[in-house]
Amino acid sequence: MLKGKDILFLTASEWQDNAVSTMQIAALLSLQNNVVFVETIGRRLPRWSEWRRVLARLQRMLFGVRREQGAGLDAQRVKIYSPFAIPLHHIPWVAWVNRWLLVRQLRRLCRRTEMPSPLVWCFSPTWESVMRRLPHQCWIFHCVDGLHTYNASPAFLAAYQRMARLADLIFTPGSLLYRELSALNRRTHQIGHGCGAVHLRQYDAQAPLPEPVDVAHLPRPRVIFAGALTQWVDYQLFLAVAQRLPHMSFLLLSYVHGLAPSEAVRDLLSLPNIHLLGYKNYADLPRYYAAADAGIIMYRAADEHTRYCTPTKIYDYCGAGLPCVSTRFPATEDAQAVVRVADSIDDFVAGLLDVIATNTGTQQTARRAYALSNTWERQVDRMSVVIMQQLRDAAA
């Protein structure tokens, strides 16, 4: 793993969100490097329903560089910074003002955190014009999603193309993204997502993990869905499957995203066997997975975002030994050794009944071995090897 480096992460995440890949990588690298995690500058104006998030973000801006404690993924030694920007990046004069503000903020941040020429590790083209104006040792573009599915404006797509071509290195987890980005930059590397080794060690304990209080009273079999209720969830499929399997308890470790279709979410949550348990602390997730009998991925197969996504929940389910049933898209087709792929309501219902009825200790061991070969520690080690080679080539 990298050691003794200054690394500036420019992200599209907030540290209090779900423990996404950006955070996993930053937390691991912070153990032996000087790591600063710059939170998102936003992709859109917030909805009225998100006012609590807006207030919390404004409060964090006042703190300057901070250490996150008590919620979500353990930040280890990561320094976290919430910059100020106006979330109207599509307006040219606002984009110019934001660039000026952000460059000043980040240059001052680099001085305060003693980063004269860091590795700049960027996860969104929204940062492209800022990144080019920062001192750097190496530019890394980490593309984890089909970013055009969030923003298809000409300005954003142009920034995406520039970032891909200018980057010293590109990392991406998806086979579809790898093919497209390799055409723009030959220094593109496909390195997948992972699961936390800390979680895997909890499953190795001799005593079974205690059931969470909010789950213990719910009848089995229990089926878990981890992740936000977003606009690309297949609510029609979800509703039909839950109605066809009323004896199963569906546990949603979720919050309702601001862009989710409210009526479809309301219909789903009205079912008596659907249980919205809310966002859970990352450290508590193994207890919920251990209390379930299967995991599901309910994404709309025809959705453009779904085609490009690589859900980390595949590894999390496997780490707990859980069988998984999913809709069909490239990431699940690549993981058919551990994921049962369904193409219809009937397929999904039959798949869930089958994987729960036939789940054996041998299968659970095979799934856990798959997760163990794809821990975040292993993936970050692979990225570190590539980065060190790039730094050697640049110095030669």
Side-chain angles (χ1 to χ4, degrees), residues 79-127:
K79 305 176 189 74
I80 302 165
Y81 180 73
S82 296
F84 174 78
I86 305 167
L88 294 168
H89 305 286
H90 62 285
I91 301 175
W93 72 265
V94 174
W96 186 92
V97 170
N98 279 341
R99 185 183 71 194
W100 183 83
L101 286 170
L102 290 165
V103 168
R104 287 177 62 88
Q105 289 176 78
L106 295 185
R107 284 180 174 171
R108 184 168 63 247
L109 175 67
C110 286
R111 290 194 297 270
R112 291 176 57 194
T113 55
E114 299 180 345
M115 288 186 167
S117 184
L119 303 175
V120 180
W121 199 316
C122 188
F123 288 77
S124 171
T126 308
W127 289 102

Side-chain angles (χ1 to χ4, degrees), residues 118-320:
L119 303 175
V120 180
W121 199 316
C122 188
F123 288 77
S124 171
T126 308
W127 289 102
E128 184 265 340
S129 64
V130 176
M131 186 181 78
R132 288 190 284 112
R133 290 164 171 81
L134 296 177
H136 67 280
Q137 186 178 13
C138 177
W139 279 343
I140 302 168
F141 177 29
H142 201 142
C143 186
V144 300
D145 273 323
L147 298 175
H148 65 283
T149 64
Y150 296 107
N151 187 341
S153 69
F156 183 87
L157 295 177
Y160 176 88
Q161 296 266 334
R162 286 194 300 270
M163 178 171 281
R165 289 192 169 98
L166 287 171
D168 296 310
L169 289 173
I170 298 178
F171 293 130
T172 187
S175 53
L176 184 57
L177 280 168
Y178 173 72
R179 289 196 297 272
E180 293 182 3
L181 287 165
S182 294
L184 297 173
N185 191 325
R186 62 182 178 80
R187 296 182 297 275
T188 299
H189 301 265
Q190 184 178 359
I191 299 178
H193 289 322
C195 63
V198 173
H199 281 188
L200 292 174
R201 287 194 290 271
Q202 289 193 47
Y203 301 123
D204 289 333
Q206 296 296 318
L209 293 172
E211 285 193 336
V213 174
D214 54 352
V215 167
H217 67 287
L218 299 176
R220 302 189 88 127
R222 301 177 188 138
V223 178
I224 202 161
F225 174 81
L229 293 175
T230 61
Q231 63 270 39
W232 52 81
V233 169
D234 192 333
Y235 293 99
Q236 184 178 2
L237 173 66
F238 211 148
L239 186 73
V241 170
Q243 287 174 328
R244 294 265 294 271
L245 297 170
H247 66 290
M248 291 189 183
S249 299
F250 289 83
L251 317 179
L252 279 56
L253 303 187
S254 311
Y255 65 91
V256 180
H257 192 276
L259 297 180
S262 56
E263 186 174 343
V265 172
R266 192 162 50 246
D267 289 345
L268 179 66
L269 299 184
S270 70
L271 296 182
N273 59 333
I274 294 287
H275 307 278
L276 181 62
L277 304 180
Y279 172 78
K280 300 298 176 183
N281 192 315
Y282 180 75
D284 294 332
L285 290 179
R287 295 198 295 129
Y288 287 89
Y289 293 138
D293 300 289
I296 54 174
I297 302 174
M298 285 283 194
Y299 291 164
R300 286 190 288 120
D303 189 273
E304 182 75 356
H305 176 85
T306 302
R307 290 182 61 239
Y308 285 89
C309 77
T310 50
T312 57
K313 58 178 67 65
I314 292 174
Y315 302 106
D316 292 335
Y317 293 158
C318 285

Side-chain angles (χ1 to χ4, degrees), residues 5 137-138 168 387-396:
K5 301 297 181 183
Q137 186 178 13
C138 177
D168 296 310
I387 293 168
M388 290 305 296
Q389 183 61 54
Q390 171 63 27
L391 293 177
R392 284 193 292 268
D393 291 346

Side-chain angles (χ1 to χ4, degrees), residues 10-14 17 37-43 53 57 61 81-83 85 127:
L10 304 179
T11 80
S13 307
E14 293 182 350
D17 284 344
F37 183 97
V38 181
E39 293 186 314
T40 180
I41 50 177
R43 285 190 287 255
R53 289 175 64 90
R57 180 64 189 273
M61 286 179 184
Y81 180 73
S82 296
W127 289 102

